[in-house]
Amino acid sequence: MNAWDVTKLRADDRHVCADAVITTSATVARTRLLPALGRLGTGDGDGGPAGGITLAVGPRPHGAPTKLVTAQLGESDDIAASYVQQLRWVPTGKVADWYPSLEAVVAITPVDATTCLLSIVARYVPPFGRAGAAVDRLAMARVANATLRVIATRLAQALSSEH
């Protein structure tokens, strides 16, 4: 999948989207993307994009149960005014098979000289085949949406701050 091919991510009902405003220019946000993802990581020393970044993800910002995932950046491109970066994560640990994997496109689009918009469009694959798809329709889609909103908010905050 090309980093900019959002249509493939929206191929079925299992896609989620989240947006957040970044209080810095798109140019600065773009240069901060990789370091910001690293700051969101758990600090376990897995390294950068080659080794993956370990993230704790979940539907609530702080103090709630989370799942560790290994995130890796893929292709990137400039599409019109937006910088677009591919992101994929896979769950880790003993019960990794109980959690969905995710393919996403992260876009940074300028709003004006000092503000930009972070958009994440993602497709996830629920575990357990048909049974997992049924559970997803009943409840897990809301968890996936909430999780992506939290990630977008945390990433926007990291991109807005100077480190």
Side-chain angles (χ1 to χ4, degrees):
M1 177 184 71
N2 291 330
W4 53 91
D5 197 350
V6 175
T7 57
K8 286 185 180 179
L9 293 176
R10 294 183 182 220
D12 61 27
D13 292 341
R14 292 178 194 91
H15 75 272
V16 290
C17 307
D19 298 307
V21 174
I22 303 171
T23 56
T24 193
S25 73
T27 303
V28 171
R30 176 182 176 160
T31 62
R32 291 179 179 172
L33 183 59
L34 180 58
L37 279 168
R39 285 196 308 276
L40 294 183
T42 61
D44 65 358
D46 273 0
I53 301 166
T54 302
L55 301 174
V57 300
R60 297 198 179 127
H62 299 290
T66 58
K67 177 64 185 149
L68 293 180
V69 299
T70 298
Q72 292 189 319
L73 298 176
E75 298 177 32
S76 64
D77 203 358
D78 291 302
I79 305 297
S82 297
Y83 171 72
V84 181
Q85 174 71 60
Q86 188 176 26
L87 172 70
R88 174 171 168 69
W89 80 46
V90 293
T92 63
K94 293 180 183 179
V95 291
D97 292 344
W98 294 17
Y99 293 88
S101 59
L102 179 126
E103 291 183 31
V105 173
V106 179
I108 298 173
T109 306
V111 173
D112 59 31
T114 60
T115 309
C116 58
L117 180 68
L118 172 76
S119 300
I120 305 174
V121 178
R123 180 178 187 277
Y124 63 98
V125 179
F128 306 123
R130 287 186 180 160
V135 171
D136 181 65
R137 282 189 295 278
L138 292 174
M140 294 311 293
R142 288 190 297 271
V143 172
N145 273 300
T147 297
L148 201 63
R149 282 192 307 272
V150 168
I151 291 295
T153 299
R154 288 176 59 207
L155 187 54
Q157 289 169 346
L159 291 169
S160 295
S161 66
E162 292 186 41
H163 280 68

Short mmCIF file of all heavy atoms in Angstrom, two decimals, residues 13-16 124 126 132-149:
data_model
loop_
_atom_site.label_atom_id
_atom_site.label_comp_id
_atom_site.label_asym_id
_atom_site.label_seq_id
_atom_site.Cartn_x
_atom_site.Cartn_y
_atom_site.Cartn_z
N ASP A 13 -15.79 -1.49 6.82
CA ASP A 13 -16.26 -0.79 8.02
C ASP A 13 -15.19 -0.63 9.09
O ASP A 13 -15.41 0.07 10.05
CB ASP A 13 -17.45 -1.53 8.63
CG ASP A 13 -18.67 -1.48 7.75
OD1 ASP A 13 -18.72 -0.61 6.86
OD2 ASP A 13 -19.57 -2.32 7.93
N ARG A 14 -14.08 -1.28 8.96
CA ARG A 14 -13.08 -1.28 10.02
C ARG A 14 -12.03 -0.20 9.81
O ARG A 14 -10.84 -0.45 9.89
CB ARG A 14 -12.46 -2.65 10.13
CG ARG A 14 -13.48 -3.65 10.63
CD ARG A 14 -12.94 -5.03 10.71
NE ARG A 14 -14.03 -5.96 10.88
CZ ARG A 14 -14.69 -6.54 9.89
NH1 ARG A 14 -14.34 -6.32 8.65
NH2 ARG A 14 -15.68 -7.36 10.12
N HIS A 15 -12.49 0.99 9.55
CA HIS A 15 -11.55 2.10 9.47
C HIS A 15 -11.97 3.15 10.49
O HIS A 15 -13.14 3.25 10.86
CB HIS A 15 -11.45 2.69 8.06
CG HIS A 15 -12.61 3.53 7.67
ND1 HIS A 15 -13.74 3.02 7.09
CD2 HIS A 15 -12.82 4.85 7.78
CE1 HIS A 15 -14.60 3.98 6.86
NE2 HIS A 15 -14.07 5.11 7.27
N VAL A 16 -10.98 3.85 10.99
CA VAL A 16 -11.20 4.89 11.99
C VAL A 16 -10.42 6.12 11.58
O VAL A 16 -9.41 6.01 10.88
CB VAL A 16 -10.80 4.43 13.41
CG1 VAL A 16 -11.76 3.38 13.95
CG2 VAL A 16 -9.39 3.88 13.44
N TYR A 124 -8.03 -1.31 10.68
CA TYR A 124 -7.57 -2.31 11.62
C TYR A 124 -8.25 -3.64 11.31
O TYR A 124 -9.31 -3.69 10.71
CB TYR A 124 -7.83 -1.89 13.07
CG TYR A 124 -9.30 -1.74 13.41
CD1 TYR A 124 -9.99 -2.76 14.04
CD2 TYR A 124 -9.98 -0.57 13.08
CE1 TYR A 124 -11.34 -2.62 14.33
CE2 TYR A 124 -11.32 -0.42 13.39
CZ TYR A 124 -12.00 -1.46 14.01
OH TYR A 124 -13.33 -1.33 14.30
N PRO A 126 -9.69 -6.86 13.20
CA PRO A 126 -10.00 -7.48 14.50
C PRO A 126 -9.51 -8.93 14.53
O PRO A 126 -9.52 -9.60 13.50
CB PRO A 126 -11.52 -7.43 14.58
CG PRO A 126 -12.00 -6.66 13.42
CD PRO A 126 -10.88 -6.54 12.45
N GLY A 132 -14.62 -12.28 15.85
CA GLY A 132 -14.03 -10.98 16.16
C GLY A 132 -14.72 -9.85 15.43
O GLY A 132 -14.91 -8.76 15.98
N ALA A 133 -15.14 -10.10 14.19
CA ALA A 133 -15.86 -9.08 13.42
C ALA A 133 -17.21 -8.77 14.07
O ALA A 133 -17.63 -7.61 14.12
CB ALA A 133 -16.05 -9.55 11.98
N ALA A 134 -17.87 -9.79 14.60
CA ALA A 134 -19.16 -9.57 15.28
C ALA A 134 -18.96 -8.74 16.55
O ALA A 134 -19.72 -7.80 16.81
CB ALA A 134 -19.81 -10.90 15.61
N VAL A 135 -17.94 -9.06 17.34
CA VAL A 135 -17.65 -8.29 18.55
C VAL A 135 -17.26 -6.87 18.17
O VAL A 135 -17.65 -5.91 18.84
CB VAL A 135 -16.53 -8.98 19.38
CG1 VAL A 135 -16.07 -8.09 20.52
CG2 VAL A 135 -17.02 -10.31 19.91
N ASP A 136 -16.53 -6.72 17.08
CA ASP A 136 -16.14 -5.40 16.62
C ASP A 136 -17.37 -4.54 16.33
O ASP A 136 -17.45 -3.40 16.73
CB ASP A 136 -15.26 -5.52 15.37
CG ASP A 136 -14.81 -4.17 14.86
OD1 ASP A 136 -14.07 -3.49 15.59
OD2 ASP A 136 -15.22 -3.79 13.76
N ARG A 137 -18.35 -5.12 15.63
CA ARG A 137 -19.57 -4.37 15.31
C ARG A 137 -20.34 -3.99 16.58
O ARG A 137 -20.94 -2.93 16.64
CB ARG A 137 -20.46 -5.18 14.38
CG ARG A 137 -19.98 -5.16 12.94
CD ARG A 137 -21.00 -5.78 12.01
NE ARG A 137 -21.23 -7.19 12.23
CZ ARG A 137 -20.47 -8.17 11.76
NH1 ARG A 137 -19.41 -7.89 11.03
NH2 ARG A 137 -20.75 -9.43 12.01
N LEU A 138 -20.32 -4.84 17.59
CA LEU A 138 -21.06 -4.57 18.82
C LEU A 138 -20.40 -3.52 19.71
O LEU A 138 -21.07 -2.69 20.29
CB LEU A 138 -21.26 -5.86 19.62
CG LEU A 138 -22.18 -6.89 18.99
CD1 LEU A 138 -22.16 -8.18 19.81
CD2 LEU A 138 -23.60 -6.35 18.90
N ALA A 139 -19.08 -3.58 19.84
CA ALA A 139 -18.44 -2.69 20.82
C ALA A 139 -17.04 -2.22 20.46
O ALA A 139 -16.66 -1.10 20.77
CB ALA A 139 -18.39 -3.39 22.18
N MET A 140 -16.25 -3.08 19.85
CA MET A 140 -14.84 -2.76 19.70
C MET A 140 -14.56 -1.61 18.74
O MET A 140 -13.54 -0.95 18.85
CB MET A 140 -14.06 -4.00 19.28
CG MET A 140 -14.05 -5.10 20.35
SD MET A 140 -13.59 -4.51 22.00
CE MET A 140 -11.90 -4.08 21.75
N ALA A 141 -15.47 -1.34 17.81
CA ALA A 141 -15.27 -0.21 16.91
C ALA A 141 -15.20 1.10 17.69
O ALA A 141 -14.42 1.99 17.37
CB ALA A 141 -16.37 -0.15 15.85
N ARG A 142 -16.01 1.21 18.75
CA ARG A 142 -15.96 2.41 19.60
C ARG A 142 -14.62 2.51 20.32
O ARG A 142 -14.06 3.60 20.47
CB ARG A 142 -17.12 2.41 20.59
CG ARG A 142 -18.47 2.68 19.94
CD ARG A 142 -19.56 2.90 20.96
NE ARG A 142 -19.81 1.75 21.81
CZ ARG A 142 -20.66 0.76 21.53
NH1 ARG A 142 -21.34 0.79 20.41
NH2 ARG A 142 -20.83 -0.24 22.35
N VAL A 143 -14.09 1.38 20.76
CA VAL A 143 -12.79 1.37 21.42
C VAL A 143 -11.70 1.79 20.42
O VAL A 143 -10.80 2.57 20.75
CB VAL A 143 -12.48 -0.02 22.02
CG1 VAL A 143 -11.05 -0.09 22.55
CG2 VAL A 143 -13.48 -0.36 23.12
N ALA A 144 -11.79 1.28 19.20
CA ALA A 144 -10.80 1.65 18.17
C ALA A 144 -10.84 3.14 17.88
O ALA A 144 -9.80 3.80 17.78
CB ALA A 144 -11.04 0.84 16.90
N ASN A 145 -12.04 3.70 17.76
CA ASN A 145 -12.17 5.15 17.53
C ASN A 145 -11.59 5.95 18.69
O ASN A 145 -10.85 6.91 18.48
CB ASN A 145 -13.64 5.53 17.32
CG ASN A 145 -14.06 5.39 15.88
OD1 ASN A 145 -13.50 6.03 15.01
ND2 ASN A 145 -15.03 4.54 15.64
N ALA A 146 -11.91 5.55 19.89
CA ALA A 146 -11.40 6.27 21.07
C ALA A 146 -9.89 6.17 21.16
O ALA A 146 -9.20 7.15 21.47
CB ALA A 146 -12.06 5.71 22.34
N THR A 147 -9.34 4.99 20.86
CA THR A 147 -7.89 4.80 20.90
C THR A 147 -7.20 5.72 19.89
O THR A 147 -6.21 6.38 20.21
CB THR A 147 -7.53 3.33 20.61
OG1 THR A 147 -8.09 2.52 21.65
CG2 THR A 147 -6.03 3.12 20.54
N LEU A 148 -7.73 5.79 18.67
CA LEU A 148 -7.10 6.64 17.67
C LEU A 148 -7.21 8.12 18.03
O LEU A 148 -6.27 8.88 17.79
CB LEU A 148 -7.71 6.37 16.28
CG LEU A 148 -6.81 6.80 15.14
CD1 LEU A 148 -5.51 6.00 15.13
CD2 LEU A 148 -7.51 6.67 13.81
N ARG A 149 -8.32 8.53 18.64
CA ARG A 149 -8.44 9.94 19.08
C ARG A 149 -7.39 10.25 20.13
O ARG A 149 -6.79 11.32 20.12
CB ARG A 149 -9.85 10.21 19.62
CG ARG A 149 -10.88 10.42 18.53
CD ARG A 149 -12.18 10.98 19.07
NE ARG A 149 -12.75 10.23 20.18
CZ ARG A 149 -13.59 9.20 20.05
NH1 ARG A 149 -13.97 8.80 18.86
NH2 ARG A 149 -14.06 8.59 21.11
#
